[in-house]
Amino acid sequence: IYTAPQEFFFTQVKLAMFGGMVIAFPLIATQIYKFIAPGLYKNERNAFLPFLIASPILFLMGASLVYFFFTPMVMWFFLAMQQTGTNDQVQISLLPKVSEYLSLIMTLIFSFGLVFQLPVVTSLMTRVGMLSSKALAEKRKWAIVIAFVVAAVLTPPDPMSQIGLAIPTILLYEVAIWSARLIERGQERDRLAREKQEAGAEMAEKAADASSTQAPS
């Protein structure tokens, strides 16, 4: 239902704007990347591009989780609170307003999509040396507490929504730790290969110097 003459109209406008932003995000992100890419080195561009691709995919995964799994569960929880009406109870039925229902769904989609960016953010910070897998693992207890606090802020004030967002956040934190370890292993392999290459070049240079000094004048 809607209870104000303009409510349904502005609800449609809000839905159109939200859908347009979601659909246009890959194009906007691509244009931003094309703008900053000329100022980056080739290895920096190669390092940044996978995260640019992963970010919208993870957002869609979070939105899909909300739409196909979490929303039916939340609505079932709320519908179960209705009272059919007996001799001792009055009848209480749910009549959701279209604007409030849409605001709930949009808030959940945005919250889950934002939280699903956690592996991308932590991986980028690990790649530039601002984080490490060891530090992430040591702060796991704090991360669990923060996950529930963030879930309480981003979701509507009901326990189902908060728990439903906090649990995926904790799982994504574990994924972020695993991703950071993979990045660190790759960086370690690159460092060893670079040191080996430099050592080989240094030995070749010394051999060339030695052969030049031993050559007859």
Side-chain angles (χ1 to χ4, degrees), residues 4-75:
Q6 75 281 4
E7 179 181 345
F8 185 57
F9 171 76
F10 284 110
T11 299
Q12 290 179 314
V13 173
K14 185 186 296 185
L15 179 61
M17 293 179 62
F18 184 78
M21 290 177 60
V22 172
I23 295 173
F25 176 77
L27 179 61
I28 295 173
T30 302
Q31 294 300 318
I32 294 174
Y33 173 75
K34 288 182 178 180
F35 177 76
I36 64 175
L40 301 175
Y41 293 105
K42 183 178 180 180
N43 60 335
E44 293 175 338
R45 291 197 299 269
N46 294 335
F48 186 76
L49 187 59
F51 299 105
L52 182 65
I53 298 173
S55 182
I57 293 176
L58 288 173
F59 187 91
L60 290 176
M61 289 176 60
S64 300
L65 179 65
V66 170
Y67 188 80
F68 293 106
F69 175 74
F70 192 68
T71 298
M73 183 177 64
V74 170
M75 295 308 298

Side-chain angles (χ1 to χ4, degrees), residues 74-173:
V74 170
M75 295 308 298
W76 175 85
F77 173 78
F78 289 142
L79 289 171
M81 300 178 68
Q82 297 181 108
Q83 295 181 5
T84 56
T86 61
N87 294 331
D88 299 329
Q89 292 180 337
V90 297
Q91 182 177 357
I92 300 177
S93 300
L94 175 65
L95 296 175
K97 294 174 60 177
V98 62
S99 60
E100 293 178 352
Y101 175 78
L102 181 63
S103 297
L104 172 65
I105 302 303
M106 289 174 59
T107 301
L108 291 175
I109 289 176
F110 178 77
S111 301
F112 274 73
L114 187 64
V115 167
F116 268 62
Q117 304 303 310
L118 180 62
V120 174
V121 175
T122 54
S123 297
L124 281 172
M125 295 178 70
T126 302
R127 187 173 288 275
V128 300
M130 297 177 62
L131 278 179
S132 65
S133 59
K134 182 180 179 180
L136 290 172
E138 290 175 350
K139 303 298 183 182
R140 182 182 282 109
K141 294 181 180 179
W142 287 101
I144 294 174
V145 175
I146 293 173
F148 280 95
V149 172
V150 171
V153 173
L154 293 179
T155 59
D158 65 273
M160 290 291 294
S161 299
Q162 295 172 9
I163 295 174
L165 180 58
I167 292 177
T169 304
I170 296 170
L171 295 177
L172 287 169
Y173 188 83

